[in-house]
Short mmCIF file of all heavy atoms in Angstrom, two decimals:
data_model
loop_
_atom_site.label_atom_id
_atom_site.label_comp_id
_atom_site.label_asym_id
_atom_site.label_seq_id
_atom_site.Cartn_x
_atom_site.Cartn_y
_atom_site.Cartn_z
N SER A 1 7.23 4.98 5.86
CA SER A 1 7.50 4.03 4.81
C SER A 1 6.52 2.93 4.87
O SER A 1 5.77 2.77 5.87
CB SER A 1 8.88 3.59 4.81
OG SER A 1 9.15 2.76 3.54
N ILE A 2 6.51 2.00 3.86
CA ILE A 2 5.77 0.80 3.87
C ILE A 2 6.66 -0.35 3.64
O ILE A 2 7.44 -0.29 2.83
CB ILE A 2 4.64 0.90 2.80
CG1 ILE A 2 3.70 -0.41 2.99
CG2 ILE A 2 5.14 1.05 1.45
CD1 ILE A 2 2.44 -0.21 2.22
N ARG A 3 6.38 -1.42 4.51
CA ARG A 3 7.20 -2.70 4.34
C ARG A 3 6.40 -3.69 3.62
O ARG A 3 5.19 -3.63 3.41
CB ARG A 3 7.53 -3.16 5.77
CG ARG A 3 8.20 -2.13 6.67
CD ARG A 3 8.32 -2.61 8.12
NE ARG A 3 7.07 -3.03 8.58
CZ ARG A 3 6.76 -3.76 9.70
NH1 ARG A 3 7.83 -4.23 10.34
NH2 ARG A 3 5.62 -3.94 10.07
N ILE A 4 7.18 -4.84 3.30
CA ILE A 4 6.52 -5.95 2.68
C ILE A 4 5.39 -6.52 3.62
O ILE A 4 4.37 -6.89 3.16
CB ILE A 4 7.60 -7.08 2.40
CG1 ILE A 4 8.63 -6.58 1.42
CG2 ILE A 4 6.86 -8.37 1.82
CD1 ILE A 4 8.06 -6.24 -0.01
N ALA A 5 5.74 -6.41 4.98
CA ALA A 5 4.76 -7.04 5.89
C ALA A 5 3.47 -6.22 6.01
O ALA A 5 2.50 -6.72 6.53
CB ALA A 5 5.49 -7.09 7.28
N ASP A 6 3.52 -4.97 5.53
CA ASP A 6 2.44 -4.04 5.65
C ASP A 6 1.41 -4.15 4.49
O ASP A 6 0.38 -3.59 4.46
CB ASP A 6 2.84 -2.56 5.74
CG ASP A 6 3.75 -2.35 6.85
OD1 ASP A 6 3.59 -3.06 7.92
OD2 ASP A 6 4.72 -1.45 6.84
N LEU A 7 1.80 -4.99 3.40
CA LEU A 7 0.90 -5.05 2.26
C LEU A 7 -0.43 -5.64 2.63
O LEU A 7 -1.47 -5.35 1.82
CB LEU A 7 1.61 -5.84 1.22
CG LEU A 7 2.85 -5.24 0.56
CD1 LEU A 7 3.57 -6.25 -0.31
CD2 LEU A 7 2.43 -3.98 -0.24
N GLY A 8 -0.57 -6.39 3.59
CA GLY A 8 -1.85 -7.00 3.95
C GLY A 8 -2.63 -6.12 5.06
O GLY A 8 -3.71 -6.53 5.51
N TRP A 9 -1.97 -4.91 5.47
CA TRP A 9 -2.57 -4.13 6.51
C TRP A 9 -3.46 -3.05 5.82
O TRP A 9 -2.98 -2.00 5.38
CB TRP A 9 -1.41 -3.51 7.28
CG TRP A 9 -1.79 -2.67 8.41
CD1 TRP A 9 -3.01 -2.47 9.10
CD2 TRP A 9 -0.92 -1.86 9.11
NE1 TRP A 9 -2.98 -1.65 10.03
CE2 TRP A 9 -1.63 -1.23 10.17
CE3 TRP A 9 0.42 -1.67 9.19
CZ2 TRP A 9 -1.08 -0.35 11.14
CZ3 TRP A 9 1.04 -0.79 10.06
CH2 TRP A 9 0.30 -0.10 11.05
N LYS A 10 -4.76 -3.30 5.76
CA LYS A 10 -5.66 -2.42 5.07
C LYS A 10 -5.65 -0.96 5.56
O LYS A 10 -5.58 0.02 4.75
CB LYS A 10 -7.12 -2.89 5.15
CG LYS A 10 -8.09 -2.12 4.32
CD LYS A 10 -9.47 -2.72 4.46
CE LYS A 10 -10.47 -1.95 3.51
NZ LYS A 10 -10.57 -0.58 3.75
N GLU A 11 -5.48 -0.71 6.80
CA GLU A 11 -5.49 0.61 7.33
C GLU A 11 -4.21 1.31 6.80
O GLU A 11 -4.33 2.57 6.48
CB GLU A 11 -5.49 0.58 8.90
CG GLU A 11 -5.41 1.96 9.59
CD GLU A 11 -5.40 1.87 11.07
OE1 GLU A 11 -5.46 0.68 11.64
OE2 GLU A 11 -5.29 2.94 11.67
N LYS A 12 -3.13 0.76 6.81
CA LYS A 12 -1.93 1.38 6.27
C LYS A 12 -2.01 1.59 4.73
O LYS A 12 -1.67 2.65 4.36
CB LYS A 12 -0.75 0.38 6.57
CG LYS A 12 0.68 0.94 6.06
CD LYS A 12 1.12 2.10 6.90
CE LYS A 12 2.58 2.42 6.51
NZ LYS A 12 3.11 3.68 7.26
N ILE A 13 -2.44 0.64 4.06
CA ILE A 13 -2.66 0.86 2.62
C ILE A 13 -3.63 2.02 2.30
O ILE A 13 -3.33 2.70 1.30
CB ILE A 13 -3.18 -0.45 1.87
CG1 ILE A 13 -2.14 -1.66 2.13
CG2 ILE A 13 -3.50 -0.23 0.46
CD1 ILE A 13 -0.84 -1.42 1.32
N ASP A 14 -4.69 2.18 3.05
CA ASP A 14 -5.63 3.21 2.89
C ASP A 14 -5.01 4.59 3.12
O ASP A 14 -5.57 5.51 2.53
CB ASP A 14 -6.90 3.01 3.78
CG ASP A 14 -7.70 1.79 3.32
OD1 ASP A 14 -7.51 1.42 2.19
OD2 ASP A 14 -8.51 1.40 4.16
N GLU A 15 -3.96 4.69 3.88
CA GLU A 15 -3.37 5.96 4.09
C GLU A 15 -2.49 6.41 2.86
O GLU A 15 -2.12 7.66 2.88
CB GLU A 15 -2.39 5.82 5.32
CG GLU A 15 -3.07 5.65 6.74
CD GLU A 15 -2.11 5.38 7.80
OE1 GLU A 15 -0.87 5.34 7.55
OE2 GLU A 15 -2.62 5.30 9.01
N LEU A 16 -2.12 5.52 2.02
CA LEU A 16 -1.29 5.99 0.88
C LEU A 16 -2.12 6.73 -0.14
O LEU A 16 -3.27 6.71 -0.17
CB LEU A 16 -0.87 4.60 0.28
CG LEU A 16 0.17 3.67 1.14
CD1 LEU A 16 0.41 2.43 0.34
CD2 LEU A 16 1.39 4.48 1.54
N GLU A 17 -1.36 7.45 -0.91
CA GLU A 17 -1.97 8.08 -2.07
C GLU A 17 -2.44 7.14 -3.05
O GLU A 17 -2.07 6.00 -3.13
CB GLU A 17 -0.89 9.03 -2.71
CG GLU A 17 -0.35 10.18 -1.79
CD GLU A 17 0.65 11.09 -2.49
OE1 GLU A 17 0.77 10.90 -3.74
OE2 GLU A 17 1.21 11.85 -1.85
N GLU A 18 -3.43 7.55 -3.81
CA GLU A 18 -4.10 6.67 -4.70
C GLU A 18 -3.13 6.07 -5.76
O GLU A 18 -3.17 4.96 -6.13
CB GLU A 18 -5.31 7.48 -5.52
CG GLU A 18 -5.93 6.60 -6.58
CD GLU A 18 -6.62 5.44 -6.06
OE1 GLU A 18 -7.04 5.42 -4.91
OE2 GLU A 18 -6.88 4.46 -6.85
N THR A 19 -2.21 6.91 -6.30
CA THR A 19 -1.19 6.43 -7.24
C THR A 19 -0.32 5.32 -6.65
O THR A 19 -0.02 4.35 -7.31
CB THR A 19 -0.31 7.49 -7.76
OG1 THR A 19 0.28 8.30 -6.72
CG2 THR A 19 -1.13 8.55 -8.70
N ASP A 20 -0.05 5.51 -5.31
CA ASP A 20 0.71 4.44 -4.57
C ASP A 20 -0.06 3.13 -4.54
O ASP A 20 0.50 2.00 -4.76
CB ASP A 20 1.26 4.94 -3.23
CG ASP A 20 2.16 6.07 -3.20
OD1 ASP A 20 2.78 6.27 -4.31
OD2 ASP A 20 2.17 6.82 -2.27
N ARG A 21 -1.33 3.24 -4.22
CA ARG A 21 -2.22 2.02 -4.03
C ARG A 21 -2.27 1.34 -5.41
O ARG A 21 -2.23 0.14 -5.40
CB ARG A 21 -3.59 2.42 -3.52
CG ARG A 21 -3.49 2.87 -1.96
CD ARG A 21 -4.93 2.80 -1.48
NE ARG A 21 -5.91 3.73 -2.07
CZ ARG A 21 -6.04 5.02 -1.74
NH1 ARG A 21 -5.37 5.50 -0.78
NH2 ARG A 21 -6.97 5.73 -2.34
N GLN A 22 -2.42 2.02 -6.43
CA GLN A 22 -2.53 1.44 -7.81
C GLN A 22 -1.24 0.75 -8.11
O GLN A 22 -1.28 -0.34 -8.78
CB GLN A 22 -2.90 2.54 -8.81
CG GLN A 22 -4.27 3.05 -8.67
CD GLN A 22 -4.59 4.20 -9.61
OE1 GLN A 22 -3.65 4.53 -10.43
NE2 GLN A 22 -5.72 4.77 -9.71
N PHE A 23 -0.12 1.33 -7.78
CA PHE A 23 1.18 0.80 -8.19
C PHE A 23 1.36 -0.45 -7.39
O PHE A 23 1.70 -1.57 -7.95
CB PHE A 23 2.22 1.72 -7.79
CG PHE A 23 3.71 1.20 -7.85
CD1 PHE A 23 4.32 1.10 -9.04
CD2 PHE A 23 4.40 0.85 -6.69
CE1 PHE A 23 5.63 0.49 -9.22
CE2 PHE A 23 5.66 0.37 -6.78
CZ PHE A 23 6.20 0.13 -8.04
N LEU A 24 1.13 -0.52 -6.10
CA LEU A 24 1.26 -1.73 -5.24
C LEU A 24 0.37 -2.81 -5.65
O LEU A 24 0.68 -3.97 -5.47
CB LEU A 24 1.16 -1.32 -3.76
CG LEU A 24 2.25 -0.53 -3.13
CD1 LEU A 24 1.93 -0.07 -1.77
CD2 LEU A 24 3.64 -1.20 -3.18
N ALA A 25 -0.88 -2.50 -6.08
CA ALA A 25 -1.90 -3.49 -6.47
C ALA A 25 -1.39 -4.49 -7.46
O ALA A 25 -1.70 -5.65 -7.51
CB ALA A 25 -3.19 -2.89 -6.84
N GLU A 26 -0.53 -3.96 -8.42
CA GLU A 26 -0.02 -4.75 -9.48
C GLU A 26 0.98 -5.80 -8.98
O GLU A 26 1.07 -6.97 -9.58
CB GLU A 26 0.74 -3.78 -10.51
CG GLU A 26 1.36 -4.61 -11.72
CD GLU A 26 2.02 -3.61 -12.70
OE1 GLU A 26 1.83 -2.43 -12.55
OE2 GLU A 26 2.72 -4.14 -13.59
N TYR A 27 1.71 -5.51 -7.88
CA TYR A 27 2.77 -6.43 -7.38
C TYR A 27 2.38 -7.08 -6.02
O TYR A 27 3.09 -7.99 -5.67
CB TYR A 27 4.02 -5.58 -7.21
CG TYR A 27 4.48 -4.87 -8.44
CD1 TYR A 27 4.28 -3.55 -8.58
CD2 TYR A 27 5.09 -5.63 -9.51
CE1 TYR A 27 4.65 -2.89 -9.71
CE2 TYR A 27 5.43 -4.89 -10.65
CZ TYR A 27 5.32 -3.67 -10.80
OH TYR A 27 5.74 -3.02 -11.97
N GLN A 28 1.33 -6.71 -5.35
CA GLN A 28 1.11 -7.15 -3.98
C GLN A 28 1.08 -8.66 -3.84
O GLN A 28 1.77 -9.15 -2.90
CB GLN A 28 -0.17 -6.54 -3.49
CG GLN A 28 -0.50 -6.93 -2.11
CD GLN A 28 -1.78 -6.22 -1.59
OE1 GLN A 28 -2.19 -5.20 -2.05
NE2 GLN A 28 -2.36 -6.74 -0.46
#
């Protein structure tokens, strides 16, 4: 899973699917 604390962790974000990254970018 991904936590609030992980939103600034580029390596973790890069592991996510593209649709997940796009979704999180709106709220990060």
